Amino acid sequence: ASFFLNNTFRLAFFLQVLFFGFGWLFFMRKLFKDYEVRQYVVQVVFSVTFAFSCTMFELIIFEILGVLNSSSRYFHWKLNLCVILLVLVFMVPFYIGYFIVSNIRLLHRQRLLFACVVWLTFMYFFWKLGDPFPILSPKHGILSIEQLISRVGVIGVTLMALLSGFGAVNCPYTYMSYFLRNVTDADILALERRLLQTIDMIISKKKRMAMAHRTMFQRGEVHNKPTSFWGMIKSVTTSAPGSENLSLIQQEVDALEELSRQLFLETADLHATKERIEYSKTFQGKYFNFLGYFFSIYCVWKIFMATINIVFDRVGKTDPVTRGIEITVNYLGIQFDVKFWSQHISFILVGIIIVTSIRGLLITLTKFFYAISSSKSSNVIVLLLAQIMGMYFVSSVLLIRMSMPLEYRTIITEVLGELQFNFYHRWFDVIFLVSALSSILFLYLAHKQAPEKHMAL
């Protein structure tokens, strides 16, 4: 028994080291490839958060496959949740406040004190977050694990629903060739010609400004400066014949430069659309076009089901796989081992959910980091991304639990405590519906205004 226990700990430890190494490489090769790493504590915190987040998904797979005995899985669940909550609630917010204060020169000497003030402020709002939501049973103590995970779950589920709602709408919009506007080579050439003409006008006007500056400088060198009071008044109030109105020309140059930026962006957009049109004609493009139609149907179904769940206050009691197999077996009237196949299909479904969740979140975090990061703010942004990532994965466990057959979610339910799980599913449906409908409206307006903007330019 001791040999088996040692092997289980070695397996869990090896996988956590593997996840930590992957998080470390992702940090170095993706996030910080353009920056010098000066604060290794940021890299360690990000990698630890990633490692323990992935370990929770690993333990879900272990629950389905029956890897390790139940007591070992319970111990690893408890340890993993305690560490990830310690990181998300105490460590990451403190270091975020510390690096924010470190970037302010006036507070640099007392940065440790002000970092504690920032962390206490975070803790106040984090704790007050649980007041409006029915997320806890009244018997839970202040320092219980349920108090922390329930609040982390609210933030994470909100983030998941927002991303899921936008992704469910944006994915078919991106994949389907139906939404591509018709772009020809003549359109691109006409816009490029306008861009070149605008650049030529900017160069011409800047040359006029340079020549005017040169003429004024030469006149200042040749002519003596007026010494009398009336001479100075005359030099200010009058201008030499043939001189340019430099302020007016500068305004014209500014307007033309703004126009050139808009034309350049529109030209790049036309080139990208043209490439997407050519790509949609390939086999891979047709495959993604088919996926776009599939996801559009899924989006409509998901919005419909979210609306039904909200209106009728409905939460599923059975996981979707088992329920689907039961309906199929009853409809076809065949003999079928529902328990056996629900286990294997649930394993595949949960595996797909886990892989796509991790991949999608890492891609989103990378794009977000490149969009707003700088040499001074990079540490703070990475820690914010670690905070978002940890909360996202913790809330994923709360929601994936419903996709698992009842016998596989026993330990997860026991470890998470007496949370109001139904609330999280209803809250996800509400935020998902708002996010999806807002995304449909936003993409509709953007798609409608694109041709009008092209015609205006």
Side-chain angles (χ1 to χ4, degrees):
S2 61
F3 175 77
F4 179 75
L5 188 62
N6 289 333
N7 284 338
T8 59
F9 276 102
R10 288 174 184 174
L11 175 63
F13 179 74
F14 171 76
L15 291 174
Q16 283 189 335
V17 171
L18 188 66
F19 293 143
F20 180 88
F22 184 82
W24 188 280
L25 288 176
F26 177 77
F27 182 93
M28 295 295 295
R29 300 290 178 86
K30 289 292 184 180
L31 294 182
F32 258 60
K33 66 178 182 179
D34 297 327
Y35 299 102
E36 180 184 359
V37 180
R38 297 179 180 177
Q39 300 291 342
Y40 282 98
V41 66
V42 176
Q43 190 172 2
V44 171
V45 169
F46 180 87
S47 302
V48 167
T49 307
F50 181 81
F52 280 91
S53 298
C54 291
T55 303
M56 287 191 294
F57 288 144
E58 164 208 312
L59 291 174
I60 291 176
I61 300 297
F62 284 2
E63 289 292 331
I64 298 175
L65 296 181
V67 179
L68 310 180
N69 55 46
S70 59
S71 60
S72 296
R73 293 199 302 269
Y74 179 84
F75 171 78
H76 286 295
W77 268 114
K78 202 76 174 179
L79 175 64
N80 198 82
L81 279 175
C82 289
V83 173
I84 195 68
L85 290 175
L86 178 68
V87 171
L88 294 178
V89 179
F90 298 97
M91 186 179 294
V92 176
F94 174 78
Y95 276 112
I96 290 175
Y98 179 82
F99 285 111
I100 289 176
V101 172
S102 298
N103 290 330
I104 303 174
R105 290 185 178 181
L106 296 176
L107 307 178
H108 190 74
R109 291 184 178 180
Q110 301 293 332
R111 57 183 181 273
L112 189 61
L113 174 62
F114 284 100
C116 292
V117 172
V118 173
W119 177 77
L120 290 173
T121 305
F122 163 80
M123 285 300 298
Y124 173 78
F125 287 105
F126 177 76
W127 210 260
K128 296 295 289 184
L129 178 68
D131 293 346
F133 299 105
I135 53 180
L136 284 176
S137 174
K139 66 180 182 180
H140 290 129
I142 296 178
L143 298 178
S144 63
I145 192 173
E146 290 86 356
Q147 292 282 1
L148 299 179
I149 201 169
S150 59
R151 288 163 171 79
V152 170
V154 170
I155 301 174
V157 167
T158 303
L159 177 65
M160 280 188 66
L162 289 173
L163 294 177
S164 300
F166 176 75
V169 175
N170 186 61
C171 185
Y173 179 79
T174 304
Y175 285 171
M176 292 174 62
S177 58
Y178 174 80
F179 295 106
L180 293 175
R181 52 177 169 151
N182 188 26
V183 176
T184 62
D185 293 332
D187 297 330
I188 297 175
L189 289 174
L191 204 59
E192 288 178 342
R193 194 177 298 112
R194 285 202 59 191
L195 177 60
L196 291 175
Q197 290 174 352
T198 304
I199 293 174
D200 289 339
M201 292 175 64
I202 293 172
I203 294 173
S204 175
K205 290 184 179 296
K206 286 190 173 182
K207 283 182 178 179
R208 286 173 57 189
M209 291 178 63
M211 292 180 65
H213 279 296
R214 180 182 178 184
T215 303
M216 292 172 62
F217 177 75
Q218 288 177 346
R219 286 174 179 170
E221 289 289 328
V222 174
H223 300 289
N224 294 326
K225 294 183 179 179
T227 55
S228 64
F229 175 77
W230 293 109
M232 288 188 290
I233 293 295
K234 184 178 180 181
S235 64
V236 172
T237 56
T238 61
S239 58
S243 63
E244 299 279 4
N245 191 338
L246 296 180
S247 61
L248 181 60
I249 298 177
Q250 184 61 50
Q251 292 178 5
E252 295 175 355
V253 169
D254 293 339
L256 288 172
E257 286 180 341
E258 180 62 28
L259 176 62
S260 68
R261 281 191 288 270
Q262 296 296 329
L263 289 172
F264 176 79
L265 293 175
E266 182 65 19
T267 304
D269 184 56
L270 288 184
H271 277 289
T273 305
K274 181 69 175 177
E275 291 176 359
R276 286 182 60 192
I277 292 174
E278 296 298 327
Y279 176 76
S280 65
K281 298 176 182 178
T282 63
F283 176 78
Q284 191 175 8
K286 292 178 180 178
Y287 167 73
F288 279 106
N289 185 48
F290 170 77
L291 282 183
Y293 282 100
F294 172 78
F295 281 119
S296 63
I297 296 173
Y298 169 78
C299 177
V300 173
W301 176 81
K302 188 70 177 175
I303 292 175
F304 174 75
M305 293 304 299
T307 305
I308 295 297
N309 293 338
I310 294 170
V311 172
F312 295 100
D313 194 17
R314 193 185 68 168
V315 177
K317 301 296 183 183
T318 308
D319 67 285
V321 174
T322 303
R323 183 61 178 164
I325 293 176
E326 288 176 350
I327 292 174
T328 305
V329 169
N330 293 331
Y331 178 76
L332 297 178
I334 59 176
Q335 296 295 325
F336 199 78
D337 191 346
V338 176
K339 182 178 180 181
F340 173 81
W341 285 105
S342 66
Q343 175 186 1
H344 289 76
I345 298 175
S346 295
F347 168 71
I348 296 173
L349 177 63
V350 171
I352 293 173
I353 293 172
I354 289 171
V355 171
T356 54
S357 296
I358 295 175
R359 179 181 177 273
L361 184 64
L362 290 180
I363 291 173
T364 304
L365 293 182
T366 304
K367 291 180 179 178
F368 182 77
F369 179 79
Y370 286 153
I372 66 173
S373 65
S374 64
S375 58
K376 289 186 176 181
S377 63
S378 56
N379 290 324
V380 176
I381 294 173
V382 166
L383 290 173
L384 283 172
L385 296 183
Q387 183 84 354
I388 292 172
M389 177 176 63
M391 291 184 172
Y392 182 95
F393 287 149
V394 169
S395 60
S396 297
V397 174
L398 294 176
L399 298 180
I400 290 176
R401 171 188 166 276
M402 186 61 72
S403 300
M404 301 170 63
L406 186 61
E407 59 269 22
Y408 302 126
R409 59 173 100 152
T410 305
I411 293 180
I412 299 177
T413 305
E414 187 178 350
V415 171
L416 293 177
E418 297 181 8
L419 298 179
Q420 303 296 326
F421 292 104
N422 291 347
F423 161 76
Y424 292 103
H425 290 275
R426 287 196 297 269
W427 182 249
F428 180 88
D429 288 334
V430 171
I431 302 300
F432 175 86
L433 186 62
V434 173
S435 176
L437 295 179
S438 302
S439 301
I440 290 173
L441 179 61
F442 172 77
L443 291 177
Y444 171 75
L445 294 176
H447 184 76
K448 185 178 180 181
Q449 290 178 359
E452 298 176 358
K453 181 180 178 182
H454 174 59
M455 294 295 295
L457 292 176

